Amino acid sequence: SLNTNSMKTLVLCCKSHPKPSCGYPPSQWCRSLEIVRKQCMELNATRPDPVVPPVEITLYYESLCPGCRAFLTEQLFPTWTLLKDIMNVNLVPFGNAKNSFSCQHGEPECYASMVEACVLHAANHAAFPVIYCMESSADVLKSAKPCLQLYAPFVKWQTIESCTRGELGHRLMHQNAVKTQALKPAHTHVPWITFNGEYTSEWKDKAMSTLFNLVCSLYKGIKPPVCTGALKKLDRSFC
């Protein structure tokens, strides 16, 4: 049987890196020391190097822009779901709006972008799933409240409404405007995507179709297993 210290080791391994989840149910943790060693080795192998910074992706976008919505829902969110250990995502809803918050797709977009800015401010780590839910729905604005209730139930809808109606929402949008207008080179379209603070047309083109592979290639640390498998497939496709 497994002693108490060995069991504690497995528990600590699993808790220190909950994704991917432990491969054995708690009922089997005490079966053998081999399970402890195997599980801990697997978790250590998939843990990102804390010294190597994650890939920083910043998306400058408009909430009702069809191209922005497609990139966020078909490339950015799925990639983040798989590679969140080696990438960070920053969302800046503003895009081609003007300082007075006149928006390219009309007043509904101004309001939707402010809602998303308020969600980012209030929901923290849960904000991206909420915004993905909104952007992948048929109606971005009508889905805002149910998406918030589903993915960030700790945030009340009244908090978001107060934000959009008050000074906070306008301050958040002004901050997004400043960030967008400070881009170098200046953005000429949306979605505008930077990697580690830099923009290149080559990266943008790759991001629009194969963001997952691009993030894996830009990460400087030891590639997680999900990356190495994808990159091998990519290499074979160019043979």
Side-chain angles (χ1 to χ4, degrees):
S1 63
L2 198 62
N3 62 36
T4 303
N5 288 336
S6 296
M7 183 177 177
K8 286 181 178 178
T9 300
L10 179 58
V11 174
L12 287 173
C13 280
C14 294
K15 285 186 176 179
S16 65
H17 196 269
K19 189 179 100 41
S21 61
C22 296
Y24 298 91
S27 61
Q28 295 186 28
W29 287 359
C30 296
R31 284 184 58 191
S32 71
L33 184 59
E34 180 184 354
I35 289 180
V36 175
R37 289 173 176 164
K38 182 176 183 293
Q39 192 67 31
C40 286
M41 286 177 67
E42 289 177 354
L43 290 173
N44 284 331
T46 58
R47 184 180 291 115
D49 188 340
V51 178
V52 179
V55 179
E56 285 283 336
I57 298 180
T58 303
L59 172 64
Y60 299 84
Y61 72 105
E62 295 172 345
S63 57
L64 301 187
C65 159
C68 299
R69 295 179 66 184
F71 173 72
L72 191 151
T73 59
E74 297 171 15
Q75 291 290 331
L76 187 58
F77 187 81
T79 298
W80 174 79
T81 301
L82 292 170
L83 299 177
K84 62 179 67 175
D85 285 342
I86 64 167
M87 67 182 284
N88 290 332
V89 172
N90 305 297
L91 300 177
V92 185
F94 186 79
N96 296 325
K98 305 302 180 185
N99 269 331
S100 59
F101 304 138
S102 62
C103 299
Q104 185 169 340
H105 299 94
E107 181 58 32
E109 181 171 76
C110 287
Y111 181 64
S113 292
M114 189 177 289
V115 167
E116 293 187 358
C118 291
V119 168
L120 287 163
H121 177 77
N124 297 317
H125 65 279
F128 196 11
V130 174
I131 290 175
Y132 164 77
C133 176
M134 292 172 60
E135 295 292 344
S136 60
S137 68
D139 191 309
V140 174
L141 279 172
K142 286 184 179 179
S143 66
K145 183 176 180 179
C147 285
L148 184 76
Q149 293 171 335
L150 179 63
Y151 290 103
F154 56 90
V155 179
K156 294 182 179 180
W157 178 245
Q158 290 82 354
T159 301
I160 303 301
E161 284 189 320
S162 297
C163 174
T164 60
R165 294 172 181 169
E167 187 266 340
L168 176 58
H170 287 84
R171 188 170 77 244
L172 293 172
M173 290 305 295
H174 175 72
Q175 291 172 357
N176 288 347
V178 171
K179 291 177 184 176
T180 303
Q181 291 163 3
L183 284 167
K184 292 183 180 179
H187 87 287
T188 56
H189 56 270
V190 289
W192 189 264
I193 312 153
T194 65
F195 294 85
N196 300 323
E198 297 181 16
Y199 172 89
T200 72
S201 58
E202 180 184 1
W203 284 348
K204 191 258 183 178
D205 291 342
K206 289 181 178 178
M208 295 300 291
S209 58
T210 55
L211 178 65
F212 180 94
N213 292 330
L214 179 59
V215 172
C216 287
S217 66
L218 289 176
Y219 181 63
K220 302 301 183 184
I222 298 174
K223 313 294 184 188
V226 67
C227 269
T228 53
L231 291 176
K232 285 178 182 177
K233 290 179 182 177
L234 183 65
D235 290 340
R236 285 198 295 269
S237 70
F238 286 101
C239 291

